[in-house]
């Protein structure tokens, strides 16, 4: 059985995270979304780590179950940390790194040292004024199976290859510790095909997780393993990059991501990378430096054409969140009551979400869902839609069902449903 894993989430102890994000809510969301192994998030935070120890109990090696719950969902120990430091060229760098750990003991030992680097209780995603490579050195000393993964590799802020506070290569950041990095997180705005254009990433595995800050966002991206259910084999699969063990990743359409294109939110100006170069990197509205998106950074560091197909890469599937598909099909806002009700109805009838998006057969979909909704889900599976790309913190705007098509379904018909 394939194992669907979402190993980058946050708890309510991280800044700008929903107060509902605790372990029981993560469990509930994993069930709704179809996630088999979910990250605990924030194991560096003393109160969250206490909750991990109280509410979870050991299951398979390196995995945990929620005490007393009748659920097949497993937890894996995860955290994200932020390193702020100066590079050799005296530039300020701010890098987020995802940590996966194989045992409570490893976490305890890691936390003991990290507590001397910064204030773990201040933020579920703690800040360390130290080189990112120190983290690799520390992890190596604590347990050889701890995985360090540069988080959302390309996003402009707090990312290793991002346009603000980032580097131009993994080596510039990790120096002699670079061999300790086996994987990168593609983030919402890039997919494996984009990353494989960049030869310096050839030695890394592309993984994909949600980085959820609220319950609704859990499972919007995931990595699917074909291994036995335990930490050791899952970590090995990331190391080895074998398509038999790492089956595929699930990626939100990169154009939907908030930082895909370049632009300025406040100036309502968006630009494709070529346009930005033509404007000499300045916003045509305010004449200030424009925010460079992920697409731009990938094009800057890519040495292969867009059509490049890596010989042995792990496949991936592109999705849009079901909530977004429903909003488009029904012509409503994605936060609206109509969309919320329809979402709950579909999950109850056909759930979980990832199964609806990827696997439920066409016939079954058409029996249970409104015809326009079934049509929209199938169109996304086939890549038969467009997206006005996101930029500078604004989500992309998908167009799946045309306005004419929506109008063709008269109101009485819609209501009958
Ligand atoms: Zn982050
Ligand atoms: Zn501007």
């Amino acid at each position: 059985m394939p194992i669907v894993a979402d190993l980058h989430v946050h708890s309510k102890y991280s800044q700008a995270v929903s107060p509902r994000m605790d372990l029981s809510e993560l469990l509930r969301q994993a069930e709704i979304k179809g996630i088999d192994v979910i990250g605990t998030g924030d194991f560096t935070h003393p109160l969250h780590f206490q909750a991990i120890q109280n509410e979870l109990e050991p299951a398979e090696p390196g995995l945990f179950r929620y005490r007393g719950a009748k659920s097949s969902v497993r937890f894996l120990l995860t955290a994200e940390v932020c390193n702020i430091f100066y590079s050799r060229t005296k530039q300020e760098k701010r890098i987020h790194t995802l940590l996966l750990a194989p045992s409570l003991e490893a976490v305890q030992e890691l936390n003991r040292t990290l507590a001397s680097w910064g204030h773990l209780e201040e933020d579920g995603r703690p800040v360390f004024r130290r080189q990112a490579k120190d983290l690799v050195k520390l992890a190596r000393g604590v347990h050889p199976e701890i995985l360090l993964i540069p988080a959302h590799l390309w996003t402009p802020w707090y990312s290793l290859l991002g346009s603000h506070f980032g580097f131009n290569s993994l080596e510039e950041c990790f120096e002699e510790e670079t061999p300790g990095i086996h994987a990168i997180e593609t983030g919402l705005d890039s997919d494996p095909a984009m990353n494989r254009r960049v030869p310096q990433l050839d030695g890394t595995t592309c993984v994909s997780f949600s980085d959820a800050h609220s319950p609704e966002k859990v499972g919007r991206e995931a990595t699917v393993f074909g291994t036995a259910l335990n930490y050791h084999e899952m970590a090995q699969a990331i190391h080895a990059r074998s398509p038999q063990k790492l089956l595929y990743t699930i990626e939100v359409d990169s154009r939907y991501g908030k930082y895909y294109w370049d632009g300025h939110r406040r100036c309502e100006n968006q630009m494709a990378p070529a346009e930005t170069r033509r404007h000499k990197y300045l916003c045509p509205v305010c004449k200030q430096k424009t925010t460079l998106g992920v697409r731009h950074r990938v094009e800057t560091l890519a040495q292969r054409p867009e059509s490049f197909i890596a010989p042995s890469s792990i496949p991936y599937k592109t999705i849009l969140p079901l909530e977004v598909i429903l909003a488009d099909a029904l012509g409503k806002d994605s936060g609206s009551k109509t969309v919320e009700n329809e979402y709950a109805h579909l999950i109850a009838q056909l759930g979980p979400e990832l199964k609806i998006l990827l696997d439920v057969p066409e016939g079954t979909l058409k029996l249970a869902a409104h015809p326009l909704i079934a049509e929209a889900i199938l169109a996304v599976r086939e890549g038969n839609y467009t997206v006005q790309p996101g930029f500078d913190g604004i989500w992309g705007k998908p167009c799946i069902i045309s306005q004419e098509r929506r109008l063709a379904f008269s109101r009485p018909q819609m209501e009958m449903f």
Side-chain angles (χ1 to χ4, degrees):
M1 279 291 277
I3 301 165
V4 184
D6 180 4
L7 304 178
H8 186 176
V9 296
H10 286 281
S11 79
K12 60 185 174 184
Y13 298 107
S14 282
Q15 269 174 37
V17 169
S18 157
R20 290 182 294 147
M21 287 292 263
D22 57 24
L23 295 166
S24 63
E25 182 62 25
L26 285 173
L27 173 68
R28 204 174 78 85
Q29 290 299 329
E31 305 239 340
I32 293 172
K33 306 297 164 61
I35 299 296
D36 303 303
V37 178
I38 182 104
T40 59
D42 299 359
F43 68 52
T44 54
H45 194 276
L47 293 178
H48 193 59
F49 189 52
Q50 198 64 58
I52 289 170
Q53 289 165 294
N54 292 342
E55 293 169 39
L56 306 184
E57 61 186 16
E60 299 76 14
L63 301 178
F64 299 81
R65 64 168 80 83
Y66 199 88
R67 247 180 244 274
K70 281 199 185 64
S71 170
S72 59
V73 171
R74 297 293 184 259
F75 285 83
L76 189 149
L77 299 161
T78 68
E80 187 189 33
V81 301
C82 175
N83 287 67
I84 300 183
F85 57 101
Y86 286 90
S87 68
R88 281 187 178 161
T89 53
K90 306 276 180 282
Q91 284 172 305
E92 191 186 0
K93 301 296 176 187
R94 301 181 177 187
I95 310 293
H96 283 183
T97 308
L98 179 65
L99 297 168
L100 311 183
S103 68
L104 292 171
E105 293 71 33
V107 168
Q108 268 157 343
E109 202 180 323
L110 210 51
N111 285 353
R112 239 193 318 273
T113 304
L114 292 177
S116 68
W117 288 10
H119 301 284
L120 299 186
E121 70 291 348
E122 262 177 15
D123 191 338
R125 189 199 300 99
V127 176
F128 306 127
R129 302 222 166 246
R130 295 188 70 120
Q131 302 269 324
K133 68 175 182 179
D134 292 349
L135 210 56
V136 189
K137 231 177 286 174
L138 169 65
R140 184 155 42 81
V142 170
H143 197 295
E145 281 195 321
I146 294 173
L147 280 172
L148 286 99
I149 304 176
H152 40 77
L153 186 70
W154 298 94
T155 38
W157 317 94
Y158 301 102
S159 313
L160 203 147
L161 298 179
S163 54
H164 293 260
F165 309 122
F167 292 89
N168 284 324
S169 73
L170 297 188
E171 283 74 15
E172 277 175 42
C173 177
F174 291 112
E175 298 174 12
E176 75 278 8
E177 297 293 337
T178 310
I181 303 297
H182 302 280
I184 54 102
E185 184 188 49
T186 60
L188 294 175
D189 317 75
S190 90
D191 59 29
M194 289 164 75
N195 285 275
R196 299 282 75 117
R197 294 179 62 194
V198 183
Q200 57 155 307
L201 300 176
D202 284 355
T204 62
T205 306
C206 289
V207 294
S208 226
F209 306 123
S210 72
D211 193 3
H213 288 201
S214 65
E216 294 69 30
K217 303 286 198 285
V218 170
R220 61 184 166 179
E221 296 205 314
T223 299
V224 183
F225 294 82
T227 62
L229 189 63
N230 66 66
Y231 184 94
H232 176 75
E233 286 222 9
M234 291 169 74
Q236 272 306 316
I238 291 178
H239 272 258
R241 277 199 301 289
S242 127
Q244 281 78 43
K245 302 277 183 181
L246 206 64
L247 303 179
Y248 58 95
T249 56
I250 299 172
E251 312 270 340
V252 158
D253 192 306
S254 308
R255 298 168 296 177
Y256 174 71
K258 280 183 191 180
Y259 294 102
Y260 184 73
W261 261 9
D262 309 332
H264 266 171
R265 178 176 16 186
R266 59 169 193 273
C267 303
E268 293 179 20
N269 169 260
Q270 63 201 94
M271 296 187 287
E275 238 177 310
T276 305
R277 287 190 289 270
R278 222 177 308 122
H279 283 100
K280 311 245 178 306
Y281 297 86
L282 300 178
C283 165
V285 180
C286 71
K287 312 293 178 203
Q288 306 285 309
K289 258 195 179 150
T290 194
T291 304
L292 296 184
V294 164
R295 179 86 213 176
H296 198 120
R297 286 295 291 161
V298 171
E299 286 187 7
T300 304
L301 299 181
Q303 291 173 31
R304 295 170 177 147
E306 214 177 331
S307 57
F308 176 78
I309 296 168
S312 64
S313 55
I314 307 297
Y316 66 97
K317 299 182 181 185
T318 304
I319 59 165
L320 285 170
L322 182 57
E323 193 193 35
V324 172
I325 297 177
L326 295 177
D328 182 272
L330 300 168
K332 303 275 185 192
D333 288 335
S334 59
S336 67
K337 203 75 207 159
T338 317
V339 168
E340 206 179 286
N341 291 340
E342 196 54 46
Y343 183 89
H345 163 80
L346 281 183
I347 296 295
Q349 296 284 308
L350 304 169
E353 175 172 343
L354 288 173
K355 194 173 130 215
I356 296 174
L357 293 175
L358 296 169
D359 303 325
V360 171
E362 185 171 342
T364 316
L365 212 52
K366 283 181 168 161
L367 280 178
H370 181 281
L372 275 186
I373 291 173
E375 193 176 316
I377 292 170
L378 294 167
V380 173
R381 278 188 200 169
E382 286 150 19
N384 203 1
Y385 61 97
T386 58
V387 185
Q388 195 186 319
F391 66 99
D392 198 24
I394 309 243
W395 292 107
K397 291 182 186 63
C399 178
I400 310 162
I401 301 291
S402 69
Q403 181 66 3
E404 301 88 73
R405 186 90 187 102
R406 228 181 273 126
L407 289 174
F409 282 82
S410 66
R411 189 153 265 285
Q413 257 181 322
M414 281 284 237
E415 270 159 15
M416 222 171 68
F417 234 89

